Amino acid sequence: MKKVLASDFGVLPGQKCSIRSISEMLKAVGSGSEIIFEQGTYRFDVTNTAKRSYPMSNTYPTPERSVGILLDGMRDITLDFSGSELIFNGWQTPFAIDGCKKIRLKNFSIDWEIPTSAEGRVIAADEKRILLEIDNKLYPHYVKDQKLIFTGDGWEHSYWGAMEYGADLHVREDSGDKIWGASFSAVDENTVEMLGNFPLPPLAGNYLALRFGPRTEAGVYCQDSEDIEFENINLYSSCGICFLVQFTKNITVSNVAVVPNSKRGRKIVSGHDDALHFSNCSGKIKVSGCRFRGMFDDAMNVHGTSAVIKEISGRKIKGAFCEHSSVAFDSYAKPGDIILFSERTSLNAIGECAVKSYRLINNTEFEIEFETDLPENVKVDDAIENLTNTPELIFENNYVGSARARGILVTTPRKVVIKNNVFDTSGTAILMSGDANGWFESGACKDMIICDNYFTNHCLSSRYQFCEGVISFYPVIGDPEACKGYHENITITRNCFEIKSQRVLYATCVKNLSFTDNTIIQSKKYSDEETSFVLLEHCSGINISGNKYFGFNEKYIKEGVY
């Protein structure tokens, strides 16, 4: 691989970078190049970006996205920023990788001078009023018509929700998603008064992470690519999902941190939404040595996309994408891909077919023609998913810290290994959902091991959607009695759970699950309520044995084979 200096092309720190100069450099160096940037600060202005109409998964549709650095159709390129700081403004996507192979991004940080989320310190509060200190230099804002409006370069967005963090920088116990709308008045330049209904008033001295702005961009976006690596990257702010990768084969994420930038005075806010999001990927995903804290959504989500059959004509179907933030996928299927048909209320599999052709009709509808006749009993309103677009996953040696919602979400039928991690989350630490009725995120787990992890007693200290256990298997199934078993072949072993009164394991519609040789320590209770450490519903082939318990009332211990 040839080494190239970015400075030879006039790309230097201490100046605003243009999409044109970087694009010309990428075109000139060609494949098999490692581009080394001189260490320093590089600034990217939203008025000087590439415009693309990407169909980003789990992101609000918009006619146009703004891209700071675009790699389009590139092969075997490394961008090494030598520890540089990349500063962006406006509402934009710092990186987009489109139709590429063998791309490596490494050794840099991504941030905004004016971040895309804010935080404030609680001065006083009761059930109707919060007095909040917000540093106007760090988070420029003003109050107009009883709305709190945050401002940046070329944008203004109104507050719409908040999360409470304690002095220990963890989400306060039982406080998740309890502060939403409010009316505001300005007390002085750095103090506002919030009026509303606050059933759990925040505590004086605690912090509020303040939410505003739409999820319309990503931090790093990748589609239709192969062999992608992210290494030694700190992402401190974003305008949506931090790393969004879809329809891509083989992704490695190592030593990546999505955390608050303490050097800029931030304590609790980092990414605007999920830290890592892998949609309809394939091959192998490996995430190792990473840290996550302070996002407004999950640390990681791995899933496919369920769609619904609207019409059947011989070997052709017309299908529809039904989740408004995951539409217009022109790469949803390609010739030779294997499509699974399922009944929507039970999620029972009906059969499979190979794709002959795929055509996107409009943003929500598509047509697929199959190589053979459809499986018997397939009907209108059944669900489909692409089994070819499902990855293996290794998630190891990571720290999943306190943030809104859950730790990691995993739905893929291929081999999954989750090991040697620390989970210090607010909600459920590990969630396996899957549905064709709500979020339309597909992928029944068929081969999973969760081992040698440590779960702190912060896990499940607040409740969000699907949070019924520290580890939760919660597919959305309308008729669980009819389900033959959705997730299966699960091993949970050699983990340590330090809990208060949380449930360790919840599972519905699971078969062949082994929970063995784990250590469960009940330290301090949240309340006087006693909870059985496991709850199983509509499950079979369950083995719970060989676990060690400390501090438990024996009547709440449930071991045996079910």
Side-chain angles (χ1 to χ4, degrees):
M1 176 174 283
K2 60 184 177 183
K3 295 184 182 294
V4 178
L5 299 180
S7 58
D8 290 345
F9 293 85
V11 180
L12 294 161
Q15 62 183 21
K16 286 187 177 180
C17 300
S18 71
I19 186 70
R20 180 178 178 180
S21 62
I22 291 180
S23 296
E24 289 177 350
M25 175 180 67
L26 289 170
K27 188 182 296 183
V29 301
S31 300
S33 299
E34 180 177 10
I35 304 173
I36 302 172
F37 292 75
E38 184 179 326
Q39 186 177 19
T41 299
Y42 296 80
R43 296 184 181 276
F44 298 82
D45 193 285
V46 70
T47 62
N48 194 352
T49 52
K51 307 301 181 183
R52 293 292 185 273
S53 57
Y54 290 135
M56 293 183 176
S57 180
N58 295 73
T59 300
Y60 301 151
T62 186
E64 194 173 73
R65 322 275 186 190
S66 299
V67 179
I69 299 175
L70 173 63
L71 290 88
D72 190 352
M74 305 296 293
R75 295 290 184 272
D76 198 11
I77 294 288
T78 297
L79 300 185
D80 183 349
F81 284 88
S82 306
S84 294
E85 182 182 45
L86 279 55
I87 300 296
F88 298 82
N89 67 9
W91 230 251
Q92 64 170 297
T93 295
F95 285 87
I97 302 169
D98 184 2
C100 296
K101 186 172 183 179
K102 293 188 70 175
I103 301 297
R104 293 164 293 278
L105 305 182
K106 65 180 185 178
N107 300 330
F108 61 91
S109 66
I110 292 174
D111 205 355
W112 267 248
E113 200 83 57
I114 300 173
T116 57
S117 304
E119 56 187 68
R121 185 179 67 86
V122 178
I123 299 171
D126 57 34
E127 292 182 352
K128 297 294 183 181
R129 172 181 176 271
I130 300 172
L131 194 63
L132 189 65
E133 179 186 24
I134 307 172
D135 189 324
N136 221 321
K137 292 182 179 179
L138 293 178
Y139 314 105
H141 63 276
Y142 66 94
V143 175
K144 182 179 180 180
D145 298 330
Q146 298 185 317
K147 294 181 179 179
L148 176 60
I149 301 170
F150 291 92
T151 66
D153 294 321
W155 59 264
E156 290 190 349
H157 295 299
S158 298
Y159 159 92
W160 53 267
M163 292 290 297
E164 182 183 359
Y165 285 73
D168 64 353
L169 307 183
H170 286 79
V171 173
R172 180 187 171 190
E173 295 172 5
D174 199 33
S175 71
D177 284 349
K178 291 189 176 178
I179 303 176
W180 292 105
S183 60
F184 290 85
S185 61
V187 177
D188 58 38
E189 183 183 13
N190 296 307
T191 309
V192 298
E193 181 183 60
M194 300 174 62
L195 299 179
N197 294 311
F198 311 113
L200 182 69
L203 301 176
N206 279 1
Y207 301 95
L208 294 189
L210 305 168
R211 308 183 74 179
F212 56 84
R215 182 194 291 201
T216 53
E217 304 279 356
V220 177
Y221 175 66
C222 178
Q223 69 171 20
D224 301 324
S225 296
E226 185 174 349
D227 298 332
I228 305 300
E229 298 180 22
F230 305 121
E231 180 183 351
N232 294 330
I233 301 171
N234 293 336
L235 189 147
Y236 297 120
S237 193
S238 66
C239 301
I241 293 170
C242 302
F243 290 81
L244 173 55
V245 184
Q246 61 190 49
F247 301 102
T248 291
K249 182 178 182 180
N250 300 332
I251 309 108
T252 301
V253 183
S254 57
N255 298 312
V256 164
V258 178
V259 295
N261 191 345
S262 59
K263 293 180 181 179
R264 290 182 176 267
R266 302 173 208 156
K267 294 180 172 62
I268 55 174
V269 294
S270 61
H272 194 277
D273 297 286
D274 297 13
L276 306 177
H277 200 111
F278 303 100
S279 171
N280 295 280
C281 291
S282 60
K284 180 177 287 187
I285 298 171
K286 183 176 182 180
V287 179
S288 61
C290 297
R291 295 181 295 122
F292 311 101
R293 183 172 72 83
M295 304 80 62
F296 279 112
D297 218 330
D298 313 306
M300 183 182 73
N301 192 347
V302 180
H303 66 88
T305 297
S306 293
V308 176
I309 299 173
K310 295 299 183 181
E311 296 178 12
I312 297 175
S313 177
R315 293 182 176 183
K316 292 182 179 180
I317 66 165
K318 179 188 282 188
F321 301 118
C322 297
E323 211 297 307
H324 74 281
S325 65
S326 295
V327 297
F329 294 144
D330 50 9
S331 300
Y332 184 69
K334 58 185 182 296
D337 284 0
I338 302 301
I339 300 296
L340 173 69
F341 299 83
S342 300
E343 199 280 322
R344 284 180 67 192
T345 58
S346 67
L347 292 188
N348 288 331
I350 300 171
E352 301 173 2
C353 269
V355 173
K356 182 177 181 180
S357 65
Y358 170 81
R359 178 174 66 92
L360 189 65
I361 300 171
N362 53 47
N363 280 353
T364 59
E365 295 179 315
F366 57 84
E367 179 185 84
I368 299 179
E369 182 177 4
F370 295 96
E371 293 284 2
T372 58
D373 292 343
L374 302 186
E376 188 177 356
N377 299 324
V378 169
K379 62 187 183 301
V380 168
D381 204 45
D382 283 337
I384 65 168
E385 62 187 273
N386 190 329
L387 291 181
T388 302
N389 291 338
T390 54
E392 296 182 30
L393 172 67
I394 299 175
F395 187 84
E396 62 182 0
N397 302 319
N398 303 293
Y399 171 74
V400 184
S402 194
R404 181 191 168 274
R406 300 141 297 250
I408 65 173
L409 285 64
V410 180
T411 47
T412 176
R414 302 190 190 276
K415 186 174 183 62
V416 173
V417 178
I418 301 169
K419 66 178 182 179
N420 294 328
N421 304 287
V422 174
F423 290 93
D424 194 26
T425 59
S426 168
T428 286
I430 305 174
L431 169 65
M432 281 58 63
S433 186
D435 78 282
N437 297 283
W439 290 105
F440 293 86
E441 295 182 359
S442 65
C445 296
K446 302 296 184 183
D447 183 4
M448 170 179 280
I449 181 167
I450 301 171
C451 64
D452 304 309
N453 302 285
Y454 174 59
F455 300 85
T456 76
N457 59 20
H458 291 285
C459 295
L460 204 63
S461 56
S462 284
R463 294 297 182 97
Y464 311 87
Q465 189 180 34
F466 309 129
C467 292
E468 294 296 327
V470 174
I471 297 176
S472 187
F473 292 85
Y474 201 148
V476 181
I477 297 176
D479 186 3
E481 294 286 350
C483 180
K484 299 175 182 177
Y486 187 68
H487 298 300
E488 59 182 305
N489 302 327
I490 313 296
T491 298
I492 304 171
T493 187
R494 303 191 308 273
N495 302 285
C496 180
F497 301 85
E498 184 178 350
I499 65 169
K500 296 184 180 180
S501 59
Q502 309 98 305
R503 179 177 292 117
V504 170
L505 174 64
Y506 172 77
T508 183
C509 299
V510 174
K511 63 180 181 181
N512 301 334
L513 182 150
S514 173
F515 187 92
T516 60
D517 300 319
N518 300 286
T519 299
I520 302 100
I521 304 167
Q522 188 171 43
S523 53
K524 175 185 175 184
K525 299 177 184 177
Y526 286 125
S527 67
D528 292 331
E529 179 185 358
E530 293 281 3
T531 303
S532 175
F533 88 94
V534 61
L535 176 61
L536 307 172
E537 298 178 321
H538 312 290
C539 294
S540 63
I542 308 297
N543 175 22
I544 301 175
S545 61
N547 302 293
K548 298 178 181 178
Y549 304 88
F550 299 91
F552 263 82
N553 186 325
E554 289 188 3
K555 69 178 181 178
Y556 297 106
I557 296 174
K558 186 177 182 180
E559 293 233 325
V561 177
Y562 306 93

